[in-house]
Amino acid sequence: MKITMLAYPGLTPLDLMGPLQVWSLWPDAEIQVVWKTTDPIMTDTGMAIVPTHSFEDSFDKPDILFAPGGTKATFELMADVTTMAFLKAKGANAQWITSVCTGALLLGSAGLLAGYKATTHWAAHANLEAFGAIATQGRYVIDRNRATGGGVTAGIDFGLALLAAIAGDELAKTVQLSLEYSPQPPFNSGTPEEASEETIQQVLARFATAIS
Amino acid sequence: MKITMLAYPGLTPLDLMGPLQVWSLWPDAEIQVVWKTTDPIMTDTGMAIVPTHSFEDSFDKPDILFAPGGTKATFELMADVTTMAFLKAKGANAQWITSVCTGALLLGSAGLLAGYKATTHWAAHANLEAFGAIATQGRYVIDRNRATGGGVTAGIDFGLALLAAIAGDELAKTVQLSLEYSPQPPFNSGTPEEASEETIQQVLARFATAIS
């Protein structure tokens, strides 16, 4: 199982780390984290990560292509010719085309979501339609060979669900127990449906600043 | 709020990334990810991360000291004189002494959990007693100024809970909504209480191999 996970300067690293940690326990997986070069890239947390491979040295035909999200950096990357060409080329050969959070906007911009149901971070949901995607509510959405996760932390649920779809429930359950994934969020504030209006407005204001 | 987060070769990066992503949205937080040097360090996922500061250049008196877990690397680090001296020195001045997963064993080995209730990854729970800690079930356990999270993914719950305890519920709710933290695990297999006996045995076998 050849897995190509995009990384880029400014990404939200938890988008990447959720499925990466899940899939690192998949015995059949060979995982590459790729960017234009293998120099360290800064994330939106202030800590850098190091891609394992450059675009050039990455798998010709990945079984899974994955794109993580972010804020301003992600919106800018949608206009980056090299990255869009890379996603388009790898997407043409991939068995699965996947994302977490606003990574879906990168797939969409590369023409990979037209006619497919997809999800993204709740605050960016409206952006999906511009790419001909069918914006769909869901912690993760699987439509044929497109699998997209919601915002940031959805990457863990998405990663386990895709693992189960490909390798079976038993392995996914073992990985879930290995990572002690029995979440207990301290508040009911993880979606706009649950959160207070004041909390929603604060997040939207932060998001508007972060993408401008 | 000065935060010192330990990193080390072989760590489980999701242990670190959960609270790091949560706390990166804390306006008052200054976060350092520290190791002996600032050279890239390999994680147990095959992707390297880059510490922001060396031990030498890290905060004298962090408000929060944090240790993430891992498997073999973590058990070996318990015997590393430099790291234990570092944790002991910073712990003596920190307002909060904290961990996720087997990071608790590092705190314990540095003498920082004696007489405190603490938790760790379910498969390592019995190891806590050797350090005089009071092994306690919980997604996260807060006892006076010690805050310890369970295995790997517990770091998100732990990070939000500690943020709420220090900075108040409103900010924590805003961060939870920003990260769309409304988990929907695909299976009920996140704890030994929920998982099947076969799944438990597989994880224990993997854990035994991973620490040997």
Side-chain angles (χ1 to χ4, degrees):
Chain A
M1 211 65 204
K2 294 182 168 59
I3 303 179
T4 297
M5 304 183 81
L6 177 70
Y8 51 90
L11 90 163
T12 297
L14 187 52
D15 291 12
L16 173 76
M17 193 56 77
L20 175 60
Q21 193 80 57
V22 167
W23 297 341
S24 74
L25 295 172
W26 189 352
D28 291 340
E30 291 176 80
I31 305 177
Q32 298 183 338
V33 178
V34 307
W35 175 234
K36 294 176 184 177
T37 73
T38 56
D39 295 335
I41 50 184
M42 185 48 68
T43 74
D44 73 2
T45 64
M47 185 187 77
I49 62 174
V50 190
T52 63
H53 294 78
S54 66
F55 283 177
E56 205 173 81
D57 293 334
S58 68
F59 294 127
D60 265 350
K61 300 186 178 187
D63 295 298
I64 300 176
L65 176 66
F66 169 84
T71 50
K72 187 177 185 182
T74 313
F75 282 80
E76 287 175 355
L77 199 63
M78 287 162 55
D80 182 77
V81 175
T82 307
T83 305
M84 290 302 109
F86 175 79
L87 289 176
K88 214 169 286 195
K90 299 300 170 182
N93 291 314
Q95 284 183 35
W96 288 89
I97 295 173
T98 73
S99 63
V100 162
C101 198
T102 53
L105 307 186
L106 298 174
L107 298 184
S109 187
L112 296 170
L113 289 182
Y116 287 87
K117 291 182 190 169
T119 194
T120 183
H121 190 286
W122 63 266
H125 233 257
N127 298 73
L128 282 172
E129 306 280 357
F131 308 116
I134 304 157
T136 305
Q137 298 293 332
R139 186 70 177 159
Y140 48 86
V141 171
I142 300 181
D143 180 7
R144 287 158 286 169
N145 73 338
R146 265 60 169 180
T148 50
V152 197
T153 55
I156 301 171
D157 302 313
F158 152 87
L160 287 168
L162 192 62
L163 176 60
I166 298 173
D169 290 2
E170 288 314 311
L171 178 61
K173 287 178 183 175
T174 302
V175 172
Q176 185 177 346
L177 182 59
S178 293
L179 301 178
E180 203 169 328
Y181 189 46
S182 178
Q184 295 178 30
F187 306 102
N188 290 320
S189 185
T191 64
E193 290 70 33
E194 297 167 293
S196 73
E197 190 54 33
E198 192 190 330
T199 301
I200 294 169
Q201 291 309 321
Q202 282 183 0
V203 174
L204 287 176
R206 197 191 67 81
F207 191 67
T209 308
I211 65 173
S212 67
Chain B
M1 210 66 203
K2 293 181 170 60
I3 303 179
T4 297
M5 303 183 83
L6 178 69
Y8 51 90
L11 90 162
T12 297
L14 186 53
D15 291 13
L16 173 76
M17 193 56 76
L20 175 59
Q21 193 79 57
V22 167
W23 296 341
S24 74
L25 295 172
W26 188 352
D28 291 341
E30 290 177 80
I31 304 176
Q32 298 183 339
V33 177
V34 307
W35 176 234
K36 293 175 183 177
T37 74
T38 57
D39 294 335
I41 51 183
M42 185 48 67
T43 73
D44 72 2
T45 64
M47 186 188 76
I49 62 174
V50 190
T52 63
H53 295 77
S54 66
F55 284 177
E56 204 173 84
D57 293 334
S58 69
F59 294 127
D60 265 351
K61 300 186 179 186
D63 295 299
I64 300 176
L65 176 66
F66 169 82
T71 49
K72 188 176 184 185
T74 313
F75 281 80
E76 287 175 356
L77 199 64
M78 287 162 55
D80 182 77
V81 175
T82 307
T83 304
M84 290 302 109
F86 175 79
L87 289 176
K88 214 170 284 195
K90 300 299 169 182
N93 290 315
Q95 284 184 35
W96 288 90
I97 296 173
T98 73
S99 62
V100 162
C101 199
T102 51
L105 306 186
L106 298 174
L107 298 183
S109 187
L112 296 170
L113 288 182
Y116 288 87
K117 291 182 189 168
T119 192
T120 183
H121 191 285
W122 63 267
H125 233 255
N127 298 71
L128 283 171
E129 306 280 356
F131 309 115
I134 304 155
T136 304
Q137 296 294 332
R139 186 70 178 159
Y140 48 84
V141 170
I142 300 181
D143 180 8
R144 287 158 286 170
N145 73 337
R146 265 60 168 182
T148 50
V152 197
T153 55
I156 301 172
D157 301 315
F158 152 87
L160 286 168
L162 192 62
L163 175 61
I166 298 173
D169 290 0
E170 289 313 311
L171 178 61
K173 287 178 183 176
T174 301
V175 172
Q176 186 178 345
L177 182 59
S178 294
L179 302 179
E180 203 169 328
Y181 189 46
S182 178
Q184 294 178 31
F187 306 102
N188 289 320
S189 185
T191 63
E193 291 70 33
E194 297 167 292
S196 73
E197 189 55 32
E198 193 190 329
T199 301
I200 294 169
Q201 290 310 321
Q202 282 184 0
V203 175
L204 287 175
R206 199 191 65 82
F207 192 68
T209 308
I211 66 173
S212 68

